Amino acid sequence: MIAIIGAMEEEVAAILKYLEAPRTTTIKNIVFHQGTMNGKAVVVFQSGIGLVMAAMSLTVCLDHFEISHVINIGTAGGFHPDQKVLDLVIPDRLTYHDFDITPFGNERNFGPKNRFIYHADQTLIQAFKPLISYERVWYGPMVSGNVFVTTQKQVDEILSHYPEAQCVDMEGTALANVASSVGLPFIIIRSLSDIVTHPDNSITFYEYLEKASARSAQLCHDFVSRMV
């Protein structure tokens, strides 16, 4: 069974439109939507916002369902001025931007001395690429933290440690952490709902959230049919 996770109601609602023969199960106040998608057994659920909610919800899922792969869909905030809203980002590796234990020798970067870097499954990424050959797509690292990034000062601080980062969110790395800890392959599919440095960022986020959610959900649906 494939676990498909979105953090926000809009993100989950977008993917539920593709769910066939749906049935719901509520476990520890989390609603799990089971069904099929392109002939594959899936369970779709909303993690909630933030690192703790993401890790907790996936852990509950793994305790009650036999999961073979993890797909995290939804939106993210882009870091670079040449990115555009609704561009796709497919992270190859992830880490926490606000996790700091440098006194214990763990560096805040994407180098070998950061023990908290999680790598997306390359087989899944390669299988996904044919679906987006004509899209604007960014590949590279993503960072996550328990803060909604809206200011240039926040961006500058993050990029001073993680200049390679393509985007930021509040759940992806926690999901990657849990999946990696139990040896499950995962892929994260993000559609940019806003560009953090855009002067009207707060307006852009709400304006494009639904569109970005719909785009990542559609690609997730198409991708499931390609999974073995």
Side-chain angles (χ1 to χ4, degrees), residues 8-197:
M8 301 180 69
E9 182 179 352
E10 293 86 351
E11 296 165 349
V12 173
I15 196 67
L16 287 179
K17 294 178 181 179
Y18 297 100
L19 190 65
E20 302 166 358
R23 61 189 187 279
T24 61
T25 303
T26 301
I27 305 171
K28 298 187 183 301
N29 296 318
I30 303 169
V31 180
F32 294 96
H33 304 268
Q34 294 174 260
T36 60
M37 191 177 297
N38 282 325
K40 305 291 176 60
V42 301
V43 58
V44 181
F45 61 96
Q46 182 180 345
S47 67
I49 297 172
L51 300 174
V52 173
M53 292 299 295
M56 181 273 292
S57 62
L58 180 53
T59 300
V60 172
C61 175
L62 297 180
D63 283 344
H64 292 86
F65 302 94
E66 292 293 329
I67 301 301
S68 60
H69 298 81
V70 174
I71 302 176
N72 178 215
I73 64 165
T75 60
F79 271 145
H80 303 293
D82 48 350
Q83 292 175 326
K84 296 181 179 180
V85 169
L86 300 184
D87 282 2
L88 297 175
V89 178
I90 311 300
D92 59 352
R93 58 199 189 277
L94 303 94
T95 196
Y96 303 102
H97 67 76
D98 58 355
F99 183 70
D100 188 354
I101 54 169
T102 50
F104 299 95
N106 193 83
E107 295 183 353
R108 295 180 69 195
N109 54 39
F110 278 101
K113 292 186 178 180
N114 183 352
R115 303 192 302 275
F116 301 93
I117 296 174
Y118 308 98
H119 296 267
D121 186 81
Q122 285 299 313
T123 300
L124 293 178
I125 291 177
Q126 293 304 316
F128 188 70
K129 283 184 176 181
L131 295 175
I132 52 176
S133 58
Y134 299 103
E135 303 277 353
R136 284 178 53 91
V137 185
W138 303 82
Y139 297 97
M142 183 170 88
V143 294
S144 306
N146 278 320
V147 59
F148 188 76
V149 178
T150 60
T151 69
Q152 187 64 54
K153 181 178 179 181
Q154 290 172 306
V155 173
D156 292 343
E157 165 64 16
I158 293 171
L159 293 181
S160 70
H161 298 284
Y162 310 99
E164 313 98 318
Q166 297 294 325
C167 63
V168 61
D169 83 332
M170 298 179 66
E171 297 83 27
T173 300
L175 296 169
N177 190 338
V178 173
S180 296
S181 70
V182 296
L184 284 178
F186 71 88
I187 185 172
I188 292 176
I189 304 168
R190 284 285 189 268
S191 184
L192 296 182
S193 58
D194 59 302
I195 311 303
V196 175
T197 55

